[in-house]
Amino acid sequence: MKLERVQRVISQALGELPIQEKGATFKPAGVKRETKPGEVPENTGYTESQTFAELKLKLNATGSLGVEELSNVGEDTLTIFTTGGKQYMMPKAWVTEPGELGDAEMDITYNSGTSPRLA
């Protein structure tokens, strides 16, 4: 069985993002279920709420993209490619907080309300 991970990320505004090897995690939008216990087990149930998509990236600091440019993204469309051949889109994605520049790397987190699978 071949395991899957994020392979490439394309930003409509910035082009291909220089992610580090194993430098990305992706959580698609979905449904969160919270258990609500009842007085008796038969009355236990749950409530549902929508969750947003989240993409956490560790990027190589190449000099072509500055931490300010990445941190100021307010609305972008991202396409995420996995090693298993799947593709997801994060429309109207935004950066959640200013990025952090470290030792030749930057940490950036994107959120989006939806994350439809394209392929």
Side-chain angles (χ1 to χ4, degrees), residues 6 11-12 22 25 34 42 56 62 64 68-69 71 79 85 87-88 93-94 96 100 116:
V6 173
S11 159
Q12 189 175 41
K22 301 178 187 173
T25 60
E34 182 180 346
E42 298 82 33
K56 292 182 179 181
T62 62
S64 60
E68 300 90 2
E69 293 142 328
S71 296
T79 306
Q87 293 179 27
Y88 297 89
W94 62 91
T96 60
E100 184 175 338

Side-chain angles (χ1 to χ4, degrees), residues 50-118:
Q50 290 297 118
T51 63
F52 54 85
E54 181 176 70
L55 178 66
K56 292 182 179 181
L57 299 172
K58 187 170 288 291
L59 303 175
N60 286 322
T62 62
S64 60
L65 287 176
V67 71
E68 300 90 2
E69 293 142 328
L70 287 163
S71 296
N72 290 329
V73 173
E75 191 170 306
D76 195 0
T77 298
L78 303 175
T79 306
I80 299 142
F81 299 86
T82 70
T83 54
K86 295 181 180 127
Q87 293 179 27
Y88 297 89
M89 182 174 59
M90 288 177 65
K92 298 182 182 177
W94 62 91
V95 172
T96 60
E97 60 186 64
E100 184 175 338
L101 181 60
D103 186 19
E105 62 189 32
M106 294 183 281
D107 292 323
I108 298 288
T109 301
Y110 284 92
N111 287 158
S112 179
T114 62
S115 59
R117 185 170 162 185
L118 303 175

Side-chain angles (χ1 to χ4, degrees), residues 27-55:
K27 179 176 70 171
V31 176
K32 176 182 177 181
R33 292 180 184 89
E34 182 180 346
T35 301
K36 297 291 185 177
E39 286 294 324
V40 294
E42 298 82 33
N43 292 336
T44 298
Y46 60 89
T47 59
E48 292 183 338
S49 60
Q50 290 297 118
T51 63
F52 54 85
E54 181 176 70
L55 178 66

